[in-house]
Amino acid sequence: MAKIKNVGIIGAGKVGIVLAQLALAAGYHVRISGSGSVQKIALTIETLVPGAVPATNQGVVSKSDLIILAIPLSRYKNIKPKLLKDKLVIDAMNYWWETDGIREEVLDPDSTSSEQVQKYFNKSTIVKTFNHMGYHNLQEEARPAGAENRKALFVTGDNKAAVDEVADFVNTMGFDTVVHDDLADGIMTEPGSSLFGASLTKAELQNVIDHFDETEFGQKIKAGKAN
């Protein structure tokens, strides 16, 4: 795959803004779209992420090598699948009842949210990451490679080459990675899991993942009572 130079972020909320700040600091060209017009988010972008370019969804996608979905999960179907065709896409979304409403109206109970996102954007390559650490931690705890107590992010997807590319990208953004090659494993980082909201080093993150099946949340998933 081509080297990532241009990063597009769909979503100008707290997570999208923080990821844009990190991407700019890492030397990427960044474009951001929000829920309203370009003019509506331009002042926000100019104030919080000077150097990023506000754009429409189409403008973000057409000019970017990598797309990050940082919108409420209940709104991903507002984006037409063909818009992200052939794109490498990071799913940084989670179901959250306060913003997404009733879970059964947003998600099929028989698979994980990222699997459903991949099924919807079936001509795109979805990789799950940036979803389990709070935006404050993302903003404050990015560190250069090799730094002591550097925090880590879980990265997973079904396409190994894409997962490795995203893991390299995450590293440039200031975080170590723990990598899996199964998109369904993203469930281990979603709300309800012991990883969600946690800010951990690579060793700590790996330890939690290694013992996931022993947790209450993991047991519920194995029993088919949680997704």
Side-chain angles (χ1 to χ4, degrees), residues 197-212:
S199 179
L200 305 172
T201 65
K202 183 172 183 174
E204 292 167 339
L205 179 60
Q206 184 66 65
N207 183 61
V208 174
I209 289 170
D210 288 345
H211 293 89
F212 176 77

Side-chain angles (χ1 to χ4, degrees), residues 85-99:
K85 182 181 178 182
D86 299 327
K87 288 292 186 177
L88 175 57
V89 180
I90 289 177
D91 173 11
M93 302 180 292
N94 290 302
Y95 166 77
W96 195 249
W97 68 272
E98 291 182 340
T99 53

Side-chain angles (χ1 to χ4, degrees), residues 28-142:
Y28 296 101
H29 300 293
V30 179
R31 289 176 173 79
I32 312 177
S33 61
S35 57
S37 66
V38 175
Q39 292 74 20
K40 181 179 177 180
I41 68 165
L43 181 59
T44 298
I45 301 306
E46 182 180 344
T47 303
L48 299 178
V49 204
V53 178
T56 61
N57 285 353
Q58 178 65 53
V60 164
V61 173
S62 65
K63 301 289 187 179
S64 300
D65 308 309
L66 171 70
I67 307 299
I68 301 174
L69 292 178
I71 57 178
L73 183 65
S74 55
R75 298 180 191 170
Y76 77 87
K77 288 187 178 179
N78 292 348
I79 302 170
K80 295 183 184 300
K82 65 180 181 181
L83 181 65
L84 300 183
K85 182 181 178 182
D86 299 327
K87 288 292 186 177
L88 175 57
V89 180
I90 289 177
D91 173 11
M93 302 180 292
N94 290 302
Y95 166 77
W96 195 249
W97 68 272
E98 291 182 340
T99 53
D100 295 319
I102 299 171
R103 184 183 181 92
E104 289 73 16
E105 295 180 358
V106 179
L107 294 171
D108 184 327
D110 295 328
S111 67
T112 66
S113 64
S114 285
E115 289 176 287
Q116 292 174 55
V117 171
Q118 176 66 87
K119 183 177 180 180
Y120 180 75
F121 295 110
N122 62 353
K123 302 296 185 183
S124 309
T125 302
I126 302 294
V127 176
K128 184 82 165 181
T129 193
F130 291 125
N131 68 300
H132 64 83
M133 190 183 290
Y135 69 90
H136 282 303
N137 293 117
L138 287 170
Q139 185 177 47
E140 297 168 4
E141 301 197 57

Side-chain angles (χ1 to χ4, degrees), residues 7-9 11-32 45 48-53 68 70 169 173:
V7 175
I9 300 173
K14 293 172 181 176
V15 174
I17 292 297
V18 168
L19 292 177
Q21 292 169 342
L22 293 177
L24 280 173
Y28 296 101
H29 300 293
V30 179
R31 289 176 173 79
I32 312 177
I45 301 306
L48 299 178
V49 204
V53 178
I68 301 174
F169 172 71
M173 294 277 275

